[in-house]
Amino acid sequence: MSFLMGTTTMLVLIGAAGLASAGLYAWRRQWLDMLLVLVAAAALASFAAGIDLPGAAGRTLTLDPEAPLPSLDGVGELAIKGDGLRAAQWDDLPALPLQWQRPEAGAMRVHHPRQLALGRSFTLRVQRDDNTEARLQLLAENGQVIGAARGKGELAVTWLPPLAERAVLKARLLDAAGKTIAEGPVPLTVHAPSILQVQGRFGAPSFDLRTLNELLAGSGALLDWQVVLGRAITRTELPNADITAPNLLVIDAAWFERLGAGERSALLARVAGGLPLLVLGANASNPGLWSRTLGLQLQAQPAGKKSDTSLALSVAPFNPAAPVAGQWRETDKLVWTRSWQQGRIAWLGASDWHRHAIAEPQALALWWQGVLDRVGVDHPRNVEWLEPEELPLPGQRMALCARGVSGDVTFPDLALTRTWSARTDAACVALWPEQSGWLEVNDAKAGAHAVYVYAPGDWPQWQASQRRAATARYAARTPDQAQAGAARAVPAWPLALVFALAMLLLWWRERR
């Protein structure tokens, strides 16, 4: 505010002095001198006010992706050819108009998780701009092909890791003639799964329950399992360690239907507090009860009906009639779910999965993992590492982010310690990797972690896709006002020169 008042006062003084001097010259009828005084006063006032006059917008600078960013003095517009710059490079530049023609083909996008729990299926997806026949291969570290897919457009390969380890797989994309289109490393860290704490309550025994029990026990889950075998006879299986915080309750329909009203209310209160509930609906016999208590409208299914899922399963005698039934949504084949305050309830309308336990054990385990995912079983994690937004490269700035961290984080390979900087939803640090390969990270709270740094020649088409996306975002963020302002910007020295010349000419005329 004080600067604004100072500028205003200066402009008033310049205007008053100019008008007074011009009036004196007019009284003497020295018209040329009067004009020179007015020109000098106008130039000085414009110089002091910092007013831009119509003129050139400044020079256009053509950027080189491989060279350091140059000085932007006098630059009013940027230009670049090819795929553009990385997001980290664009973040160092102010918003300026950009001349760029986006290439139309030759890029691809590769998607895969960098971290995975043992027992989960790993999926590698490749999206291509070119819609031609191709073959995608996933190779182990020893070069053995462990997965393959063929087709046009997007390709996906699925693989089940056998061990909890850190590995660098390799992916290769081949054309119809077998020529390599693209290839690159696929870093993956497989960690031990979190322990599932399950409570099971069932009104009747079955082979399906036995198979489910074996699957959960084989995964290391803690099981509190009770099965009613007959009147006043219940088979109980207790866990080998205390269940401190159960994260899944599994029941069958028959057990729920036999509960009293108070027991049902107590059960649903636990679900409302956040405990996921999975209902095995194969032995349901009272559709009205489910409608009244859970708002689940069940309809009788044809006898002997089979599912069209990846596993041939028998359809339960009663299932919701449509994919959307009130608050219930079919989130997968034969799995309907709904929210229940802070918790979630799922209805599994299938049976006879025990028939696949011997012939297709892996497929059965993956199918059940998908069912549990739909239920919303959540393992609370104190720290969550976030994947880098673009491929980390040696010598290029990268941002490492995580949730639930604070304080200092150490990078032994770089002999570097950084302090986490809080952002809106995470904490981040900036660093410059020196070489490709695994970059070790140590945090006092999160423990050991590793980020894979790609070599400059890895996945050139994927890098091109990321640069194109970053360049398009930069071009979109340049406001119209900034472009218009740049088109009017000119240096201020011509105003000072006009003032000096006018005063010198006045002095020369006075000296004659």
Side-chain angles (χ1 to χ4, degrees):
M1 180 65 70
S2 59
F3 173 78
L4 180 61
M5 293 180 61
T7 302
T8 303
T9 303
M10 184 183 298
L11 293 176
V12 170
L13 294 175
I14 292 173
L19 291 176
S21 299
L24 290 174
Y25 283 117
W27 182 68
R28 297 177 184 177
R29 297 183 181 277
Q30 296 176 347
W31 308 114
L32 183 58
D33 294 340
M34 180 193 71
L35 181 61
L36 288 174
V37 166
L38 291 176
V39 170
L44 182 60
S46 299
F47 178 83
I51 298 176
D52 294 329
L53 299 180
R59 65 187 178 92
T60 298
L61 175 64
T62 300
L63 299 174
D64 182 359
E66 305 301 328
L69 294 177
S71 172
L72 298 180
D73 291 342
V75 174
E77 188 176 48
L78 300 176
I80 195 167
K81 297 180 180 179
D83 300 314
L85 302 180
R86 291 166 53 86
Q89 294 172 300
W90 285 121
D91 289 342
D92 293 334
L93 293 172
L96 291 173
L98 178 65
Q99 295 181 10
W100 176 61
Q101 181 64 42
R102 180 174 185 148
E104 294 298 329
M108 67 173 54
R109 290 155 296 283
V110 183
H111 306 276
H112 68 86
R114 270 66 167 185
Q115 303 176 68
L116 198 68
L118 183 63
R120 294 277 186 163
S121 178
F122 170 81
T123 300
L124 171 73
R125 293 190 296 114
V126 175
Q127 295 176 311
R128 299 180 293 147
D129 291 343
D130 303 323
N131 191 25
T132 56
E133 185 74 21
R135 181 159 46 102
L136 177 63
Q137 294 180 336
L138 180 64
L139 293 82
E141 291 182 303
N142 61 2
Q144 178 184 0
V145 177
I146 55 178
R150 181 190 297 271
K152 297 181 179 180
E154 179 178 318
L155 299 175
V157 173
T158 301
W159 173 64
L160 187 65
L163 299 172
E165 61 179 350
R166 184 187 300 166
V168 181
L169 309 177
K170 184 178 180 180
R172 180 186 298 150
L173 187 65
L174 309 171
D175 62 13
K179 181 180 178 181
T180 300
I181 302 174
E183 62 180 359
V186 181
L188 175 64
T189 299
V190 182
H191 56 81
S194 301
I195 297 178
L196 195 63
Q197 302 184 38
V198 184
Q199 289 183 332
R201 302 292 185 264
F202 309 100
S206 71
F207 290 113
D208 281 344
L209 286 183
R210 180 178 177 181
T211 300
L212 177 58
N213 181 290
E214 292 173 351
L215 284 172
L216 293 173
S219 69
L222 298 178
L223 300 179
D224 176 3
W225 207 260
Q226 297 180 12
V227 182
V228 176
L229 303 179
R231 179 172 298 182
I233 302 177
T234 300
R235 178 183 176 273
T236 300
E237 178 181 341
L238 298 178
N240 52 15
D242 292 337
I243 292 183
T244 57
N247 45 25
L248 176 62
L249 175 59
V250 183
I251 65 174
D252 64 3
W255 183 82
F256 185 84
E257 290 177 354
R258 293 173 188 168
L259 291 179
E263 294 173 313
R264 289 195 202 100
S265 298
L267 172 67
L268 295 179
R270 295 181 63 195
V271 178
L275 179 64
L277 171 64
L278 172 61
V279 181
L280 309 181
N283 55 10
S285 59
N286 188 352
L289 174 67
W290 297 97
S291 176
R292 293 191 303 271
T293 57
L294 300 179
L296 181 60
Q297 305 294 333
L298 298 178
Q299 180 176 331
Q301 303 295 309
K305 181 179 179 181
K306 297 292 184 179
S307 69
D308 58 353
T309 56
S310 57
L311 298 176
L313 303 174
S314 298
V315 175
F318 295 96
N319 269 338
V324 179
Q327 297 292 324
W328 293 82
R329 300 289 186 274
E330 187 177 20
T331 56
D332 198 2
K333 294 290 186 179
L334 301 178
V335 180
W336 285 263
T337 64
R338 67 160 295 173
S339 298
W340 193 267
Q341 296 185 24
Q342 299 179 24
R344 191 174 180 85
I345 304 176
W347 172 276
L348 175 58
S351 64
D352 290 342
W353 57 77
H354 68 276
R355 301 180 184 277
H356 304 274
I358 297 177
E360 302 175 278
Q362 180 173 319
L364 178 60
L366 290 177
W367 178 77
W368 259 109
Q369 185 63 65
V371 172
L372 296 182
D373 289 341
R374 301 302 182 274
V375 179
V377 179
D378 183 29
H379 301 285
R381 291 178 292 179
N382 295 327
V383 175
E384 180 183 2
W385 295 97
L386 304 183
E387 297 179 3
E389 294 182 355
E390 56 185 352
L391 297 183
L393 296 176
Q396 299 284 346
R397 186 178 75 236
M398 67 165 286
L400 176 65
C401 299
R403 296 190 179 101
V405 294
S406 60
D408 293 338
V409 58
T410 303
F411 301 88
D413 300 332
L414 304 177
L416 179 69
T417 298
R418 289 272 194 246
T419 300
W420 290 106
S421 176
R423 295 187 180 178
T424 303
D425 61 342
C428 301
V429 292
L431 63 146
W432 284 257
E434 295 178 353
Q435 60 186 11
S436 60
W438 290 106
L439 177 64
E440 299 291 337
V441 184
N442 288 331
D443 183 84
K445 181 178 181 181
H449 182 61
V451 179
Y452 189 80
V453 180
Y454 294 77
D458 290 341
W459 293 113
Q461 297 94 331
W462 190 7
Q463 294 188 42
S465 176
Q466 292 184 341
R467 289 198 299 270
R468 293 178 189 180
T471 303
R473 289 195 300 268
Y474 174 84
R477 84 176 188 179
T478 305
D480 296 337
Q481 294 83 353
Q483 299 185 28
R488 296 192 302 269
V490 296
W493 64 265
L495 299 172
L497 181 60
V498 169
F499 171 76
L501 290 177
M503 295 304 294
L504 285 173
L505 189 56
L506 264 176
W507 175 81
W508 176 75
R509 288 178 57 81
E510 289 284 353
R511 297 285 296 175
R512 284 192 309 165

